[in-house]
Each structure stands twice: as structure tokens, then as C-alpha cells.
Amino acid sequence: MQLQATLTCPACGHQSTETMPTNACQFFYDCSGCGERLKPLPGDCCVFCSYGAVPCPPIQENGKSAAVAEATKVRMSSC
């Protein structure tokens, strides 16, 4: 399993290699190039799946549908 991913900001193109959390999806990421707050695209569970070169550990381990379902459940319970 890969735990490092390079995120690419869609606003400015800045790239940054980050360590992905193994036990949760990361919903937000602030670009260190332009300050844009990245959020997952529709259908993705986290910013790594939307803007990263490598999908997040839950997707690597369980596949996309399982991770998206879990992320949706977490978002709903925190409202």
C-alpha cells in the first residue's frame, strides 16, 4: 500500500507530496501554492482520490464503492 501521494492543485498547478491518513478520508486540503481549499469532487471520498497521483488507502484496500459509502456515512453522522 502506498501512503505518499502527490496532490496537484487544479487552480494553480502546485504539486505537493503528502502522507495520506490510513484510518480516515481527508475531506479538505489547503494548497500551499495559492491557498485554495480543495474538496473532493462528486463521487470521490477524499482530496487524494480527486487530486492525487495515488488513491487513498481505503480505496487501495477496499475499492472505490466501499470507501465512498463509508465517507458518506461519516459526513452524515457529523452533521
Side-chain angles (χ1 to χ4, degrees):
M1 179 177 307
Q2 293 183 339
L3 298 179
Q4 298 284 314
T6 300
L7 291 170
T8 302
C9 177
C12 73
H14 179 78
Q15 294 186 326
S16 179
T17 300
E18 303 290 340
T19 301
M20 297 182 280
T22 57
N23 60 349
C25 292
Q26 185 169 334
F27 300 122
F28 303 108
Y29 177 79
D30 294 326
C31 175
S32 57
C34 68
E36 179 84 11
R37 174 161 278 194
L38 306 183
K39 300 172 191 166
L41 296 172
D44 286 341
C45 64
C46 69
V47 294
F48 290 103
C49 289
S50 295
Y51 307 105
V54 177
C56 70
I59 294 289
Q60 291 178 50
E61 192 171 275
N62 302 318
K64 185 170 184 170
S65 59
V68 170
E70 183 63 25
T72 302
K73 185 169 57 173
V74 168
R75 286 184 202 156
M76 296 299 286
S77 67
S78 65
C79 292

